Structure formats: structure tokens, C-alpha cells
Amino acid sequence: MRLVILGGSGSGKSTQAKRLCRYFDIPQISTGEILREAIANLSQLGHHARTYVEKGELAPDEMMIELLRSRFKQPDINCGWVLEGYPRTAFQAEELDFWLDNLGQKLDWAIYLQVPESVMVSRSLGRSLPDDQPEIVQRRVEIFYDRTIPILEYYDRRRRLLTVNGDQFPEMVQQNILTLLSIP
């Protein structure tokens, strides 16, 4: 199973990615974790990424592509994966399809966790991540709406989009996803 989890800040992407990884016994690829790790390791890429993360801005496509290319070279992804936090632009979605073609893989589904803006904000502010400050969260929500519609259209045109109500208990969201994937 090769899945992309899409949704705004606080929509439950990480929660559902973890649950689906456990269910299918496949690795989770989280761009947020990859970015935070690069920043914590004080790598050159991490130093560059910090300025974007601290403002709530999206890291540039080239930076994200470089980080993910190295992750996709690791052998554990050959049996499937759940990608969370990427793509964030229509260009990244196209680039992902291009890489997967080169790897002899294809995306099964893009799963969009749809939640109201107020839920995104309250959930994000309730977490304890260092970049979840009110003004940063609000900026990420604005960017999300601006950038996500083209990604949803991209996957919808390719008949690869599943939309799930993310404003429910995590167990219900997971069950809805599995039902849409036609897994009992």
C-alpha cells in the first residue's frame, strides 16, 4: 500500500499515518519529522529549513525534494509506505509521480482528511510542537487553503483521491479510510 495523507495543520495526518502504518506494517515518511530532524542535527539543510519553519512558511520545493529523494532511496520503502506532509504543492505532486515511476512504484491513494478551519486551529494550538504558535498556525492554515485545492484537483483528475471527514474520533476516521480502501 502506497498512500499520501493530505490535510491541514491539526487535521489528524500524523495520527492517521501512524495508525495506517501499524495496520499495514509499512513505514511512515513524515516530512515534518524529517525537517525537524534536519534542524535538530544542525545540518546545512536544517539551518536553511529553520527560517521557513519558524515563520510557518512552506520549505521550498527543491529542499523538500532533496530531503525526500534521500528517504526514498532507503530499502524499507519497497513494500509500501504512508507519506505524510507531502506533497504540499501541485508541482510536488507531479514530482512525486515522476520519482515513483523511476522507482517502479505508483501511488495507490491520496487521502484527504477534511476538517473545518476552526478544528485545524484548535487542534494545532493544543499540541506541544515548538512551531505551533498562534500566528504560525494561522499562517499555515492560510497557506494550506491556498496550495491544497490544486493538489486535490490533481489527484481527483487521476482518480486517486479519497476524501474523509477528519472531524471525528481517530478510530472512526481510520475505519472510514479502511472502508474506502475496501479493507474490512
Side-chain angles (χ1 to χ4, degrees):
M1 192 61 66
R2 293 172 182 90
L3 304 169
V4 165
I5 303 281
L6 303 168
S9 183
S11 64
K13 293 185 304 292
S14 293
T15 300
Q16 292 307 317
K18 284 179 179 73
R19 286 171 163 272
L20 292 168
C21 287
R22 277 195 305 270
Y23 186 88
F24 292 114
D25 193 25
I26 53 178
Q28 177 182 354
I29 303 170
S30 165
T31 56
E33 285 181 25
I34 292 170
L35 273 174
R36 283 189 280 278
E37 194 175 294
I39 291 168
N41 292 340
L42 303 173
S43 69
Q44 184 175 358
L45 203 56
H47 177 70
H48 192 60
R50 178 188 306 259
T51 57
Y52 295 95
V53 173
E54 287 176 348
K55 294 179 192 168
E57 301 288 334
L58 295 180
D61 286 341
E62 307 76 41
M63 182 184 298
M64 294 310 303
I65 289 166
E66 187 178 332
L67 285 168
L68 281 170
R69 272 204 180 122
S70 62
R71 179 62 182 93
F72 270 85
K73 288 178 183 170
Q74 296 173 18
D76 67 334
I77 63 116
N78 292 332
C79 296
W81 38 263
V82 176
L83 180 56
E84 179 246 319
Y86 188 94
R88 295 248 173 127
T89 65
F91 174 78
Q92 289 177 357
E94 290 177 42
E95 187 69 18
L96 177 62
D97 281 346
F98 177 73
W99 296 339
L100 293 176
D101 279 347
N102 286 342
L103 293 170
Q105 298 185 20
K106 76 175 184 56
L107 179 69
D108 292 305
W109 295 103
I111 300 167
Y112 172 48
L113 300 178
Q114 191 171 38
V115 299
E117 181 177 337
S118 60
V119 172
M120 278 191 249
V121 171
S122 65
R123 284 183 183 174
S124 293
L125 294 176
R127 302 184 302 200
S128 56
L129 294 174
D131 51 323
D132 282 337
Q133 306 303 318
E135 61 281 353
I136 293 173
V137 167
Q138 195 56 49
R139 180 73 186 124
R140 283 199 311 247
V141 168
E142 290 166 15
I143 290 171
F144 167 75
Y145 282 116
D146 191 38
R147 303 277 175 93
T148 301
I149 300 305
I151 299 169
L152 299 178
E153 290 170 349
Y154 175 86
Y155 286 124
D156 192 42
R157 280 194 306 272
R158 284 156 184 74
R159 303 200 189 302
R160 293 258 179 275
L161 182 67
L162 300 176
T163 300
V164 176
N165 175 4
D167 190 16
Q168 308 175 71
F169 288 114
E171 300 78 20
M172 286 299 303
V173 175
Q174 180 184 5
Q175 192 52 57
N176 289 344
I177 292 170
L178 294 174
T179 300
L180 288 171
L181 294 174
S182 301
I183 297 169

